[in-house]
Amino acid sequence: MSRSYCINCQYPQSACVCHALKPVCSQTEVVVMQHPSEVGHAKNSVRLLKLVLPQTQIYVGETGEDFIELQHYLATQTKPVYVVYPNEHSQTVAKAGASEAVIIIVIDGTWRKAYRMLQLNPWLVDYPSLHLECADESQYVIRKAKRSDSLSTLEAVAHTLVALNPATDIAPIFAVFNTMVQHKLTAMPAQVRARYNSDKIKG
């Protein structure tokens, strides 16, 4: 029997997040460069980000040719553009002097795939990069990461928005995110759920 899906959030009816959905407005323009393997991933946080932050722009691809449209778009913009990715040249929002009225580019993929996307898109080095000063651990307990400081794309965007403007209310972003995470945990067999929770405690 086929599953019934919510026409609004596109999640199965049993995992609908609409009751927790409260769209957020921000002067910051969010652009996501999404690896193709993330598009259909059941735990894809960008899907949630688009629901709660409707103005988010998503470009799917891997090579420079895949992002020609994005490059042309950015070339026409007058706002400062920043790439949210930690490296030897990246700065905090405060040190970069960035304000809320900017465009931020985030790369959605595993660490390995995100790094490869950077290598395949050398045009990104034309823009200054930002890294986050975030003491909070990722709440993305349902998806494994090799690095202890890994954040989901949704979490990275939320923390960047509040760094750019401390008055930004990011609670709605995490409300819908946590709702999705809890749905996933609840649907797991008890022994699997216990393993995820114990791994989180160890971390």
Side-chain angles (χ1 to χ4, degrees):
M1 182 180 295
S2 61
R3 303 176 78 179
S4 177
Y5 287 80
C6 172
I7 60 173
N8 182 43
C9 70
Q10 299 300 311
Y11 279 90
Q13 289 286 358
S14 59
C16 176
V17 297
C18 290
H19 65 283
L21 189 57
K22 179 183 176 183
V24 171
C25 291
S26 173
Q27 290 187 42
T28 303
E29 194 171 328
V30 178
V31 173
V32 178
M33 292 174 60
Q34 186 174 49
H35 191 277
S37 65
E38 293 294 320
V39 177
H41 202 296
K43 300 171 184 177
N44 171 15
S45 71
V46 171
R47 184 175 170 187
L48 286 173
L49 182 65
K50 180 68 175 177
L51 287 172
V52 75
L53 201 67
Q55 64 268 39
T56 300
Q57 298 183 57
I58 304 170
Y59 294 83
V60 179
E62 186 174 18
T63 69
E65 290 184 358
D66 297 328
F67 298 108
I68 290 294
E69 181 183 350
L70 171 58
Q71 294 177 63
H72 288 166
Y73 171 73
L74 294 173
T76 67
Q77 303 306 299
T78 57
K79 294 179 183 178
V81 178
Y82 294 92
V83 178
V84 181
Y85 192 89
N87 57 50
E88 64 272 23
H89 304 298
S90 62
Q91 294 181 303
T92 63
V93 167
K95 287 187 177 180
S99 67
E100 185 180 22
V102 299
I103 298 173
I104 60 170
I105 300 173
V106 291
I107 301 175
D108 183 50
T110 62
W111 274 105
R112 182 177 61 81
K113 290 175 180 176
Y115 180 75
R116 176 168 172 75
M117 287 171 69
L118 281 170
Q119 302 307 302
L120 294 174
N121 291 273
W123 57 272
L124 286 172
V125 301
D126 293 338
Y127 302 109
S129 52
L130 300 173
H131 63 256
L132 296 170
E133 285 186 315
C134 179
D136 297 337
E137 289 187 5
S138 174
Q139 298 305 304
Y140 211 6
V141 295
I142 59 172
R143 194 164 183 181
K144 302 300 183 182
K146 291 183 178 180
R147 290 179 52 147
S148 60
D149 59 347
S150 293
L151 294 174
S152 68
T153 300
L154 178 146
E155 291 172 306
V157 168
H159 288 301
T160 302
L161 292 180
V162 81
L164 291 165
N165 180 2
T168 302
D169 181 13
I170 60 173
I173 298 178
F174 283 103
V176 73
F177 178 69
N178 291 331
T179 296
M180 183 273 284
V181 169
Q182 287 305 311
H183 276 314
K184 296 292 184 185
L185 286 173
T186 301
M188 292 177 182
Q191 64 273 23
V192 177
R193 182 168 59 250
R195 186 167 68 247
Y196 273 90
N197 288 330
S198 64
D199 285 350
K200 179 62 179 175
I201 292 172
K202 292 175 186 176

